[in-house]
Amino acid sequence: MTTELKEWPLWEIFIRSKQGLEHKHCGSLHAADARQALEMARDVYTRRQEGVSIWVLPSAAITASNPDEKGELFDPAADKIYRHPTFYEIPDEVGHM
Amino acid sequence: MSAAIDYLLHLADNALVLGQRNAEWCGHGPILEEDIALSNVSLDLIGQARMLYQLVATLKGGDATEDKLAYFRDTGEFRNYTLLELPHHGPLSGYAHSSLDYGTTIVRNFLYSALMALLWEALAKSNNTDLAAIAAKSLKEVRYHLRHSRDWLVRLGDGTDESHVRVQASLDHLMPYTQEFWAHSPAEAAAVKDGIAVDLNTLKADWDAIVDAALEEATLQRPKAGGYVPEGKNGVHSEHLGFLLAEMQSLARAHPNGVW
Amino acid sequence: MYTQSFNVPDAPGGKAVAPVPSKEDPALQAAFDTRIDADGRIEPQDWMPDAYRKTLVRQISQHAHSEIVGMLPEGNWISRAPSLKRKAILIAKVQDEGGHGLYLYSAAETLGTSRDQMLEGLHSGRAKYSSIFNYPTLTWADVGVIGWLVDGAAIMNQIPLCRCSYGPYARAMVRVCKEESFHQRQGYEALLVMMTGTAEQKAMVQDAVNRFWWKCLAMFGPPDADSPNSVQGMRWGIKRISNDDLRQKFVDATVPQAKVLGVTLPDPDLKWNEERQHYDYGQIDWNEFWETVNGNGPCNKERLATRVKAHNDGQWVRDAALAHANKQKARSIKEAA
C-alpha cells in the first residue's frame, strides 16, 4: 500500500442515454475509487436525465492508437469502395435491395 | 385534519432545514465533484419540502402557500428534529462560529437518511394518498442520500488516522440527538392514530441494524446515547435554528408584499 | 458559465503550465497548420506546437477558474433566496457552474496539466479568472442580473468556442452551452417578475443593472487594438470572434431586452447608429478593468481566500478517500493471493 497521498485518479465516463443505445463517452472526473466514480458520474453527468446507465473506467487503463500511425492504420480502407452497397449498380426494376 | 397538518409540517421542516444546511457547502466543498453531489442532495430535500408544504397549504386553505409556511413561521413553530438544524461543526453556542466540517455533514446525513429510508418506505403506504405519493418519490431520493453518506462514512472512518478521529468525534457529537427520533410527540401520536403516520419505534431495530453495520465497516465506535433528549419536533429547539431562520427568512420578510 | 476572452497573461513563475515537450519539426508544424487552415480539429494525442498547447491550457484553465470562483457571488444568496422555488433554481444554477468548471478542467487535463497544477496556479494568485466575479453581490436582484447580463455575455463568447480547433475544449463548450441558456433565462425571468412587484423591488433591479452593466461590457476583454494575442488565437481557431465584435453583438442584443424589462442602461452615449446599424456606446473604464484583473478589485482577496480555504479545509477529506481506496485495493490483492 502506498502511503503517499496525491491527487485522486482520473476516470473516463460513458453514459447510455436510453435503453437500446450504446454507452457513449461524455467526459471525465476525479474519484478515489470506482464506486465513487460511478456516484460522481451520476451527479455530474446525469443532472438533466441524460442517462439510464453509466460505465466508468480509469483513464490510465485506456490504450490509444498512435496518431503518427494514422496513415498505416486507417488509409488502407479508403480504396476498398467495393465494401459499400452504393458501389454496385442494380437495374431499377429490381427495386430496393 | 390538524393531526395531518402538524405531522406534514414536521416532515417538511426536516427536509427544508437540512436542505438549507447542506446548501451551505455549495462553492466550498472538499472537491468540485462533491460540491455537485451535495447540491443534488440539497435540491432533493428542498423539493420534498416544497411538495409537503404545498400539501399543507391545500389542507389549510385560505391564503396559505409553501412560501408563507417556510418564510413566515418563527422558530417555535418549526417542527424539525434538532439534529438537522445544527451547524456543520462540533458543539458550540449559537453565536459562535467555526469552519464547515465535512465529517459532521456526512454523519448527520447518514443518521437522518438511514431513518428516512425506512420511514418513507413505510409512509408510501400511508392512508393519506398525497403523502403516500410524496413518500414514494422521496424514497428513491433518500436511498441515494443514504448510499452517498454511508460510503463517505466508511471512507472517513476507515481512511487516515486523522479522518478516523475527526469522524468519530462527529459521531459522538451527533448520536445523542438521534434519541429524538424515538421520543414521544403529541403530533406524531395523533397522526399514527389516524393512520397517516407510522410509529417510528417499529422501525428502530432496522435503523439500529443499518447504523451498526455501517459503523462496523467504518471501524467506528457507536457512542452510547443518553442524557438530554432534544425536542425540536415539539417546537423546542437549539440556539442554532434562530440564526438559520433569521438568515433564510430575512429577504422575504423585508419585502412581505414582494413577488419573486 | 463565464469566460472572458481574456488574452490576459497569467503572472510568470511556478509551474501552472507544464508543457509536454514536442519536437518543433517543420513537417509536423506544416501538417498542423494545414489542418487548422482547413478548419480541422486537433485531438489530445496529435502533435501541436508548444505555444498552442500553452495558450490552450491558459485559456481553458482561466475559463475553469472563472466558473469555480463564479460560484461564490451567486452562492452568496442561496441561503437567503426569497422563495423556495428561487432557492432551488439558484442551487441548480450554481451547481451547474461547478459542473462547467469540472468539464473545463477535464478538457485542460487532456493537454498534460493536472487539475492540482491548475488549482495551484489559481490559489497562488498567478492564474487569472474573469474580472466580473470580483464585484460583490449586494442584493437579490444581482442574482437575476448576473444570469441575464453576465451569463448573456458569456454565452456570446462561448457559442463560437463550440467550433474551436481543440476537440476536447469544443466538446466541453457544447455541453456547457446546452446548459447555459437555462442560466440566462432564469435570471431574466426572475427580474421580469420583480419588475411586476413593489417599488422597492423595481429599484433593486435598476440598481443592480447600474452596478453590473459596465463590468459586463469589460468582460469581453480589452479592445481589439490592445489585444495582440487575439490575432494568434484567431489564427489557431481557439478564438473565433474578436472582443469588440462580441461586445457589439452583446450590446445590440441587450438593449431591446432592457426595454422589455423596463430598466435603463446606465450609459448616456448609448444610442442607435443608423449608419452602422449598431448601437453606439460610451467609454469603458479600462483602468478599473486592469486593476481588477490584477488583483485589486473590491473582492479579489475574498474570492481567492475563500477558494483556498475550501481547498485546504477539504484536504483531510480527499486524503481519507484516497487512503481508504488504497486500503481496499490492498485488501483485495491480499484476498486474491
Side-chain angles (χ1 to χ4, degrees), chain A residues 65-71 74-75, chain C residues 26-49 52 56 163-168 171 234-238 240:
Chain A
S65 63
N66 184 342
D68 293 347
E69 295 166 356
K70 205 159 71 185
F74 308 115
D75 288 354
Chain C
L28 291 171
Q29 178 74 49
F32 174 86
D33 290 342
T34 307
R35 195 183 298 178
I36 291 282
D37 291 343
D39 204 16
R41 294 287 177 272
I42 307 297
E43 292 295 342
Q45 288 187 305
D46 293 335
W47 183 90
M48 62 188 86
Y52 175 82
L56 269 176
R163 296 180 292 114
C164 92
S165 64
Y166 188 58
R171 290 191 288 274
M234 301 275 241
R235 169 74 182 75
W236 276 334
I238 55 180
R240 290 290 186 172

Side-chain angles (χ1 to χ4, degrees), chain A residues 8-81:
Chain A
W8 287 359
L10 196 63
W11 300 75
E12 299 302 321
I13 312 301
F14 299 80
I15 306 265
R16 184 201 293 287
S17 60
K18 66 176 195 186
Q19 214 63 17
L21 296 182
E22 74 277 39
H23 286 78
K24 263 178 77 173
H25 184 246
C26 71
S28 49
L29 50 75
H30 288 270
D33 55 46
R35 181 175 166 93
Q36 190 182 36
L38 262 186
E39 289 170 9
M40 287 175 161
R42 177 262 194 193
D43 286 318
V44 171
Y45 288 106
T46 68
R47 297 197 301 285
R48 290 177 171 78
Q49 297 185 289
E50 290 95 334
V52 295
S53 165
I54 303 173
W55 288 348
V56 299
L57 175 75
S59 306
I62 291 181
T63 307
S65 63
N66 184 342
D68 293 347
E69 295 166 356
K70 205 159 71 185
E72 61 206 71
L73 287 175
F74 308 115
D75 288 354
D79 66 350
K80 314 288 193 296
I81 48 176

Side-chain angles (χ1 to χ4, degrees), chain C residues 258-287:
Chain C
K259 209 170 160 191
V260 173
L261 186 58
V263 295
T264 56
L265 299 171
D267 179 359
D269 297 325
L270 186 70
K271 56 176 176 296
W272 179 251
N273 182 323
E274 190 57 36
E275 196 182 323
R276 291 201 309 126
Q277 288 291 301
H278 288 295
Y279 283 94
D280 291 336
Y281 52 90
Q283 274 297 317
I284 295 167
D285 183 349
W286 291 110
N287 263 344

Side-chain angles (χ1 to χ4, degrees), chain A residues 1-12 15 25-34 36 40 43-48 50 63-68 70, chain C residues 23 28 35 45-47 92 95-97 99-100 102-103 106-107 109 114-117 175 178-179 182-183 317-328 330:
Chain A
M1 181 188 126
T2 168
T3 50
E4 188 204 346
L5 298 175
K6 50 179 172 46
E7 195 170 8
W8 287 359
L10 196 63
W11 300 75
E12 299 302 321
I15 306 265
H25 184 246
C26 71
S28 49
L29 50 75
H30 288 270
D33 55 46
Q36 190 182 36
M40 287 175 161
D43 286 318
V44 171
Y45 288 106
T46 68
R47 297 197 301 285
R48 290 177 171 78
E50 290 95 334
T63 307
S65 63
N66 184 342
D68 293 347
K70 205 159 71 185
Chain C
K23 34 191 195 311
L28 291 171
R35 195 183 298 178
Q45 288 187 305
D46 293 335
W47 183 90
Q95 180 195 38
D96 272 357
E97 311 297 0
H100 297 172
L102 194 153
Y103 308 154
S106 300
E109 281 177 281
S114 73
R115 193 194 291 180
D116 271 0
Q117 283 174 301
R175 183 171 281 277
K178 263 191 213 162
E179 298 181 357
F182 142 57
H183 295 183
V317 179
R318 297 190 300 276
D319 288 350
L322 204 55
H324 177 71
N326 287 338
K327 280 185 190 176
Q328 289 288 81

Side-chain angles (χ1 to χ4, degrees), chain B residues 25-160:
Chain B
W25 279 103
C26 196
H28 310 277
I31 190 166
L32 199 42
E33 282 82 350
E34 206 48 26
D35 264 48
I36 297 171
L38 265 188
S39 298
N40 271 349
V41 174
S42 250
L43 285 172
D44 287 343
L45 289 167
I46 290 165
Q48 292 169 11
R50 291 187 65 194
M51 290 187 293
L52 291 160
Y53 285 135
Q54 284 163 12
L55 181 52
V56 172
T58 313
L59 293 175
K60 279 188 122 145
D63 62 352
T65 65
E66 60 173 88
D67 287 331
K68 281 229 167 71
L69 292 166
Y71 288 93
F72 291 90
R73 282 183 305 138
D74 290 328
T75 314
E77 296 168 87
F78 267 72
R79 292 285 180 266
N80 58 283
Y81 293 128
T82 301
L83 171 72
L84 307 179
E85 73 207 31
L86 302 174
H88 299 277
H89 54 66
L92 282 176
S93 288
Y95 68 112
H97 292 281
S98 180
S99 296
L100 300 175
D101 170 57
Y102 208 62
T104 310
T105 305
I106 288 301
V107 169
R108 180 196 1 233
N109 282 349
F110 169 70
L111 295 173
Y112 175 70
S113 301
L115 178 74
M116 294 311 290
L118 298 168
L119 183 56
W120 286 128
E121 189 173 14
L123 290 177
K125 294 176 220 117
S126 167
N127 69 10
N128 180 317
T129 50
D130 293 317
L131 176 58
I134 294 171
K137 180 176 185 297
S138 304
L139 177 60
K140 289 186 203 163
E141 294 167 350
V142 78
R143 280 183 176 152
Y144 187 77
H145 304 171
L146 178 58
R147 172 178 166 153
H148 176 264
S149 55
R150 188 190 193 280
D151 283 359
W152 267 109
L153 185 78
V154 171
R155 280 186 203 108
L156 297 179
D158 184 35
T160 62

